Amino acid sequence: MGTTQRINPGVTNQPNWGDLSNSITQIAKTLEQEKKLDDEGAKDNEKDKNEDEKDDSKKTVVSDNSKQYKKILDRRTEHVRSVFKNLVKTGGGRKAIASGKSSSIGKAGLKSAGKLTGFFTSVANNGLDKALTEIGFGSLQGKSFNDVIDYLLIYCSDSNQGMDETAANKASCEIMKEIAAQSDNDVKKYQDLIKELVDGQGLADTLCKFWGLYIFEHLSQRFEEKIQQQKGEEVSKETFKIIKDDILGRVKVLNTQRAVSKIDWNKAEGKKEIEKIFDSIIKIICNEKN
């Protein structure tokens, strides 16, 4: 992978990533502990086949295992919370990140979110053909659906390949690919889906998911390679699946709780709403109340 940024704790003018790295490592350790418990349980089950099924001692073993599983899962939940809180701490706090004032996270995300929103609202207001012409694609005539999507994936990617830009690029591309996958390779259907997003609550929901993916990519590109080297590929994949599922699960909760409102995304209120949604995502993943 080669993208893991190794930052030594305590280096002058650099954020201290030690607590964040440790939190992710602790999630991986809970997976190892769970696997060990599974292996021990499998051995016990094999022994049970040769023993009396009514042996009361077996009930005690099952009960003890259940308690141990619960302890492991509870610890994992706490470590996941610590991951998000420590990420926000390294970025200088929620307000600095959501306003784009952090030096490590937020700025490129706000730029990409604005780019996505601008394109989607242009499609809704002017049609896909004109929206594509405005961003340099030219006319749709003689072009395939894949030509459109390939161009949009490039359009969504910032050429400045720093950590923040890479996270924003990956999140933008995943959003674009997801909408494309729902379009059945049909340009008209793609245009209609985008119009539906902008006309209803869908664009705000899509931005919520973008922010969730963006935060996950920051964690993944910094630490996934390290966990893979320390714990192996299987544990690494499962560790980051747990983190991603937790983020996107919280995003869904936020989407159900957020009040429905009509936003003019092309004006200043659109920019404020993007920052407001970002702030809300940070709050919900960190369990912040205020």
Side-chain angles (χ1 to χ4, degrees):
M1 290 170 65
T3 56
T4 301
Q5 183 178 11
R6 295 170 181 83
I7 303 176
N8 296 322
V11 175
T12 306
N13 297 325
Q14 287 188 342
N16 187 337
W17 298 87
D19 290 342
L20 176 54
S21 177
N22 182 60
S23 296
I24 295 175
T25 301
Q26 292 303 319
I27 295 172
K29 283 183 179 179
T30 65
L31 286 166
E32 290 177 323
Q33 291 162 357
E34 187 177 7
K35 186 179 186 306
K36 184 180 178 183
L37 207 57
D38 286 342
D39 291 343
E40 289 173 353
K43 287 179 182 178
D44 288 338
N45 288 337
E46 191 65 31
K47 288 180 182 178
D48 288 348
K49 290 179 182 178
N50 302 318
E51 295 176 5
D52 187 356
E53 292 293 331
K54 294 181 180 180
D55 190 341
D56 289 339
S57 65
K58 297 189 187 81
K59 295 178 182 178
T60 305
V61 171
V62 171
S63 177
D64 287 345
N65 281 355
S66 297
K67 288 177 182 178
Q68 289 182 61
Y69 274 120
K70 186 179 184 306
K71 283 182 181 179
I72 290 170
L73 293 176
D74 287 346
R75 282 201 300 272
R76 185 181 299 162
T77 299
E78 288 303 313
H79 294 318
V80 170
R81 287 175 185 167
S82 293
V83 165
F84 301 141
K85 288 179 180 178
N86 285 322
L87 178 65
V88 172
K89 196 183 295 182
T90 62
R94 195 182 88 222
K95 289 184 179 179
I97 293 172
S99 62
K101 293 176 182 175
S102 168
S103 61
S104 60
I105 176 173
K107 195 175 293 183
L110 288 165
K111 183 179 177 181
S112 290
K115 212 170 184 180
L116 281 173
T117 303
F119 175 72
F120 288 156
T121 52
S122 179
V123 172
N125 295 332
N126 307 312
L128 182 60
D129 202 341
K130 188 172 182 182
L132 287 169
T133 301
E134 287 175 352
I135 63 171
F137 178 77
S139 172
L140 270 171
Q141 190 172 357
K143 309 284 178 59
S144 70
F145 180 78
N146 286 335
D147 290 335
V148 173
I149 300 306
D150 288 345
Y151 186 85
L152 288 174
L153 292 178
I154 295 170
Y155 171 73
C156 287
S157 298
D158 195 305
S159 58
N160 184 1
Q161 289 291 308
M163 281 282 183
D164 197 26
E165 289 80 12
T166 300
N169 291 348
K170 287 187 175 182
S172 296
C173 288
E174 189 159 340
I175 292 295
M176 281 295 192
K177 287 177 181 177
E178 191 173 287
I179 297 172
Q182 297 170 30
S183 305
D184 301 325
N185 292 325
D186 186 278
V187 171
K188 176 70 166 57
K189 190 173 181 181
Y190 182 72
Q191 176 180 267
D192 292 344
L193 279 171
I194 292 175
K195 285 184 176 181
E196 285 175 20
L197 286 179
V198 177
D199 291 342
Q201 182 69 6
L203 184 51
D205 291 350
T206 299
L207 284 170
C208 279
K209 185 164 188 180
F210 164 81
W211 286 124
L213 292 168
Y214 168 72
I215 290 168
F216 169 75
E217 290 298 342
H218 259 282
L219 295 167
S220 174
Q221 66 177 315
R222 288 183 189 278
F223 298 107
E224 190 166 0
E225 183 181 1
K226 176 196 167 190
I227 297 299
Q228 185 174 329
Q229 290 169 352
Q230 290 181 344
K231 305 292 184 181
E233 187 174 356
E234 185 180 343
V235 170
S236 178
K237 282 183 178 179
E238 187 60 26
T239 297
F240 284 90
K241 182 180 184 300
I242 286 167
I243 293 171
K244 187 174 186 178
D245 288 350
D246 190 274
I247 293 174
L248 296 182
R250 290 170 187 268
V251 167
K252 285 182 181 178
V253 170
L254 180 63
N255 283 342
T256 61
Q257 294 175 346
R258 197 180 60 252
V260 177
S261 57
K262 188 68 177 176
I263 303 294
D264 188 339
W265 295 99
N266 288 318
K267 294 186 177 178
E269 68 172 306
K271 182 176 181 293
K272 286 182 180 177
E273 188 66 16
I274 290 171
E275 290 184 11
K276 183 179 172 184
I277 290 171
F278 190 16
D279 185 72
S280 297
I281 291 295
I282 297 170
K283 277 175 72 174
I284 198 168
I285 67 169
C286 293
N287 282 337
E288 293 184 15
K289 303 300 180 185
N290 299 312

